[in-house]
Amino acid sequence: MATTEGQLSEIEKFDVDDGSKDDSEEITEKRQTWSSQIDFIMTSVGCAVGLGNIWRFPYLCYKNGGGAFLIPYLITFFLVAAPTYIVEISLGQYTSAGTVRAWSIAPLFQGLGFSSQMILIYSNVYYIVVVAWALYYIAQSFTSTLPWTSCDNPWNTDRCFTTGMTYNYTLGIVNCTNSSTETHSSNCTSYSIMSEKPVDAVEEFWERKALSMSRGIDEPGSLVPGLTVSLLVAWILVYICICRGVKWTGKIVYFTAIVPYLLLTIIFIRGITLDGAVDGLVYYLKPNFSRLTDAQVWLDGATQVLYSIGVGQGFMISLGSYNKFNHNAVRNGFIVICINCLTSVFGGLAVFATLGFMSHEMNLPIEKVASSGPGLVFLTYPKAVSQMPIAPLWSVLFFLTILFVGLDSQFASVESFLTQFVDRWPKILYNNCNRMLFVGLYCVVCFLAGLSLVTEGGVYLFRLIDFYAVSGPVLLTMVFVEVMTIGWVFGMDRFYDALEIMMGYRPGPWIKICVKYTSPVIINVIFWFQVITYQPLDFDGSYVYPTWATVVGFMMSFSSIGCILIVAIYKLMKSKGSFRERLSMSVRPILKKHQIDPRWMNSNYKWTLQQYEAHDVNNPFNINDELEEMSYNESS
């Protein structure tokens, strides 16, 4: 191969994977691909549109200035989240591999793939618990009277009160506002001024019935029967939907991804017909531009985009790897993230129309009835629907929405984790029967691990995993290393060449500028702001986690992102030569022949069509006349 004296040709900067290590000539089954681009888009929408769009975005929007919050949200969306999301999809499609092998474009940072796997393990075990909660509430809603609307149940205490009562904190008395003749009844109890504060019936149902909460994480207690059964049902649903691979899942998501939008639309239409709905919508969207001077508003906007869109966790790399090689990854990615953004706004409209009604009925300001996270989904909204006509129907519809949204994200999470193993042992796991057995085994293991989260102290562990293992600094670190690896190690010019190989054209400079410059800067600012303002985790402001639990949390964080450092050290130690030579070898991409742009080769590089077919039989890239157009030359 001719080279300029003293220099390597571009092709010599790459290691070519000829497929010999995979014994690909012995594999009869091919790696699955999406049946159509619509299948991929629907699955990606189901993954990207999660619970954060329904509970977290509306809360942050009204907390941080209503419509003014959309300014930092959209800026971060276009400068960080959108380009990173497109890069992840494109990387998966370009390498046709899961998160571990995809980062062979820069082997020194292949730990990104292993870190993604650790995050997915935590996500697969804990996220589905929310689905189990939704299933439990659906089952409890099939009744003429919702169980959290009264204080006459076995789990209620003498401190219970319902929405129809008010509490006088001066006298310590609960009064029935709808009763003109009785001052006391089963729902109207006198309290001495020294007694504990009363507890809403909805809150008692959530804590004492649904969760059977203990007093802390160090009191795990026994399994909660209802949630245990719900968790089992949730995993059975997940297994049925993913056991046969992406071709099967791609059809199921037409139902699981579309139904939530129909249900959310029904809830929205019902919500805007209620008294007080307009006040709720105005409160949600009315801009308060003075809030833009608060750094916390910008921080919330940035973290919400990254949290809701799912970058940095390996989802999109794995889903993109099942695309055919010549799909338009940039266009498809932009479609998905726009749908995600619009869903957040629409979800907020549906939620705050209902909260406006609740504020009207309770004669309380909206900020007193709305909260974030599970509090909005399992406390505030159940209280709201309990005041509507035909309350059980609206309760079922709302929790069905939560169920389908949660299941979609769980499908993608589990599939992303399993992709690495399917690609590692293709001769075994490309077979449908073997795959179904393997997926079943994994679901059983995750179910058994998840039992710790449906104990009486499980909700404390749930919060610990959510805070330390899969969000916050962990997620920011993952995204930062990703964009630096693509932008500066592999190089955006090379990456644009790769996009041109796949799509036939080079996108504009927007992605390149964002990945190389704006994304690293913004992510760095957010990361260090979170580090500086770090506060030990508490639970609802009342329970402070013990020191040992905090230590466990930091261990979870390190297990999620520590793989990046461990693998980098291993790659450097494995290489030979001086440190500079080791570093150079460790960032040298390992690519297959069709992934190398003709401009990266000199004219003497030749290989036969038969060689190509043999070394890459399982790659979804279709061999056709485009090979000659891409300057791949057949030898005589």
Side-chain angles (χ1 to χ4, degrees):
M1 189 178 299
T3 62
T4 303
E5 184 177 357
Q7 295 181 339
L8 290 175
S9 67
E10 185 70 12
I11 185 59
E12 288 179 302
K13 299 177 184 177
F14 296 80
D15 288 331
V16 179
D17 182 358
D18 63 4
S20 59
K21 295 181 181 179
D22 295 329
D23 297 327
S24 55
E25 67 277 8
E26 300 178 16
I27 303 172
T28 57
E29 299 286 342
K30 285 195 173 184
R31 193 178 193 271
Q32 289 191 12
T33 60
W34 301 108
S35 298
S36 67
Q37 295 187 57
I38 297 298
D39 287 3
F40 165 73
I41 291 174
M42 294 299 296
T43 305
S44 299
V45 167
C47 172
V49 176
L51 297 172
N53 299 83
I54 297 178
W55 79 34
R56 200 166 185 264
F57 177 85
Y59 169 77
L60 291 176
C61 196
Y62 96 83
K63 168 193 170 186
N64 292 305
F69 175 73
L70 294 176
I71 295 176
Y73 178 86
L74 291 175
I75 289 176
T76 310
F77 175 84
F78 283 107
L79 296 183
V80 182
T84 305
Y85 186 89
I86 291 172
V87 162
E88 287 194 0
I89 289 177
S90 303
L91 177 62
Q93 180 174 308
Y94 175 60
T95 58
S96 298
T99 54
V100 175
R101 291 197 171 189
W103 291 107
S104 60
I105 63 167
L108 183 66
F109 298 98
Q110 205 160 8
L112 278 166
F114 293 100
S115 290
S116 295
Q117 288 294 90
M118 289 302 303
I119 293 175
L120 290 173
I121 289 175
Y122 289 120
S123 296
N124 290 342
V125 171
Y126 102 102
Y127 189 85
I128 198 172
V129 174
V130 181
V131 177
W133 292 342
L135 280 169
Y136 182 80
Y137 268 75
I138 290 172
Q140 294 292 317
S141 298
F142 282 99
T143 177
S144 58
T145 303
L146 294 174
W148 53 83
T149 58
S150 71
C151 293
D152 299 325
N153 306 290
W155 59 83
N156 293 127
T157 67
D158 58 0
R159 298 186 295 123
C160 175
F161 77 100
T162 62
T163 303
M165 307 176 186
T166 59
Y167 184 74
N168 188 316
Y169 284 90
T170 303
L171 302 177
I173 298 175
V174 174
N175 301 309
C176 282
T177 58
N178 296 328
S179 174
S180 59
T181 59
E182 294 183 343
T183 57
H184 300 291
S185 69
S186 60
N187 287 341
C188 301
T189 307
S190 295
Y191 293 84
S192 68
I193 194 169
M194 298 301 294
S195 65
E196 298 181 69
K197 292 182 180 180
V199 181
D200 193 289
V202 177
E203 185 176 348
E204 284 206 342
F205 177 84
W206 168 243
E207 294 182 355
R208 296 177 59 82
K209 174 62 175 174
L211 299 180
S212 297
M213 284 179 61
S214 66
R215 291 179 293 181
I217 193 172
D218 47 3
E219 296 182 14
S222 58
L223 291 172
V224 180
L227 292 184
T228 302
V229 174
S230 297
L231 184 65
L232 176 61
V233 173
W235 272 114
I236 291 174
L237 291 175
V238 170
Y239 174 76
I240 292 173
C241 294
I242 69 169
C243 65
R244 298 182 61 184
V246 295
K247 288 186 179 293
W248 174 255
T249 306
K251 304 306 178 186
I252 292 177
V253 295
Y254 279 88
F255 178 78
T256 58
I258 292 176
V259 167
Y261 287 97
L262 296 178
L263 296 175
L264 205 59
T265 300
I266 293 173
I267 293 171
F268 169 71
I269 293 173
R270 175 54 180 156
I272 61 176
T273 63
L274 298 170
D275 293 335
V278 174
D279 294 334
L281 295 177
V282 170
Y283 191 90
Y284 170 51
L285 295 175
K286 183 180 179 181
N288 180 7
F289 293 109
S290 64
R291 296 285 289 123
L292 295 179
T293 59
D294 186 350
Q296 186 64 45
V297 175
W298 293 85
L299 176 68
D300 285 345
T303 54
Q304 168 59 21
V305 176
L306 298 176
Y307 176 88
S308 67
I309 210 167
V311 293
Q313 302 173 58
F315 293 159
M316 293 303 115
I317 294 177
S318 294
L319 294 182
S321 74
Y322 292 107
N323 278 336
K324 289 184 173 61
F325 191 78
N326 57 358
H327 278 184
N328 191 325
V330 174
R331 180 198 61 199
N332 293 346
F334 200 75
I335 289 173
V336 173
I337 56 181
C338 286
I339 292 175
N340 177 280
C341 183
L342 293 174
T343 301
S344 293
V345 177
F346 181 61
L349 293 174
V351 168
F352 271 86
T354 305
L355 294 180
F357 162 73
M358 186 176 175
S359 173
H360 177 269
E361 290 295 299
M362 298 177 64
N363 196 26
L364 288 173
I366 293 180
E367 59 267 25
K368 298 296 184 181
V369 299
S371 57
S372 179
L376 178 58
V377 176
F378 297 101
L379 290 176
T380 306
Y381 204 90
K383 186 186 298 183
V385 299
S386 67
Q387 301 174 63
M388 298 182 186
I390 324 176
L393 171 63
W394 300 112
S395 180
V396 169
L397 291 177
F398 177 75
F399 287 109
L400 276 175
T401 305
I402 300 299
L403 170 66
F404 287 121
V405 166
L407 280 176
D408 280 340
S409 298
Q410 188 72 11
F411 295 163
S413 181
V414 174
E415 185 64 54
S416 298
F417 181 82
L418 295 176
T419 296
Q420 327 310 317
F421 299 93
V422 174
D423 288 346
R424 179 63 181 82
W425 293 286
K427 289 188 291 186
I428 299 174
L429 297 178
Y430 281 2
N431 178 276
N432 282 335
C433 183
N434 292 341
R435 176 191 164 87
M436 292 175 71
L437 291 174
F438 178 65
V439 174
L441 176 62
Y442 178 72
C443 290
V444 169
V445 171
C446 286
F447 166 72
L448 294 176
L451 290 177
S452 61
L453 296 168
V454 291
T455 61
E456 293 171 354
V459 69
Y460 299 100
L461 179 58
F462 176 92
R463 182 75 177 103
L464 191 75
I465 294 174
D466 179 66
F467 186 80
Y468 285 104
V470 298
S471 61
V474 168
L475 184 59
L476 292 171
T477 300
M478 290 291 296
V479 176
F480 176 76
V481 178
E482 278 190 14
V483 296
M484 291 299 291
T485 301
I486 294 291
W488 295 96
V489 180
F490 183 73
M492 283 306 296
D493 288 335
R494 270 189 206 147
F495 197 79
Y496 265 48
D497 291 342
L499 292 175
E500 186 176 6
I501 293 174
M502 295 187 292
M503 304 185 303
Y505 72 94
R506 302 172 74 84
W510 163 63
I511 298 176
K512 180 186 294 186
I513 294 172
C514 291
V515 172
K516 289 191 70 172
Y517 304 109
T518 62
S519 294
V521 171
I522 293 174
I523 294 168
N524 247 311
V525 171
I526 299 170
F527 176 85
W528 289 112
F529 186 89
Q530 288 197 343
V531 170
I532 293 171
T533 59
Y534 167 78
Q535 295 291 333
L537 178 64
D538 60 45
F539 192 91
D540 289 341
S542 57
Y543 172 77
V544 179
Y545 280 76
T547 303
W548 68 265
T550 302
V551 172
V552 170
F554 279 111
M555 292 174 64
M556 290 179 179
S557 297
F558 183 77
S559 68
S560 295
I561 60 176
C563 297
I564 301 174
L565 179 61
I566 293 171
V567 172
I569 293 173
Y570 171 77
K571 294 287 185 181
L572 290 173
M573 293 180 63
K574 184 181 177 182
S575 302
K576 297 180 181 180
S578 65
F579 177 78
R580 184 174 182 177
E581 291 171 338
R582 291 169 183 253
L583 186 62
S584 177
M585 289 296 297
S586 298
V587 298
R588 181 173 178 170
I590 302 174
L591 301 175
K592 294 186 176 181
K593 293 183 179 179
H594 74 277
Q595 296 166 343
I596 300 177
D597 190 275
R599 287 162 291 194
W600 302 345
M601 309 181 201
N602 62 39
S603 59
N604 293 328
Y605 189 78
K606 297 179 180 180
W607 49 279
T608 67
L609 185 62
Q610 289 73 24
Q611 287 174 330
Y612 184 94
E613 291 174 329
H615 94 268
D616 207 32
V617 67
N618 292 292
N619 196 290
F621 181 71
N622 295 320
I623 301 170
N624 50 42
D625 294 337
E626 292 180 5
L627 285 172
E628 293 184 359
E629 297 175 11
M630 294 162 62
S631 300
Y632 290 104
N633 302 315
E634 291 189 45
S635 61
S636 57

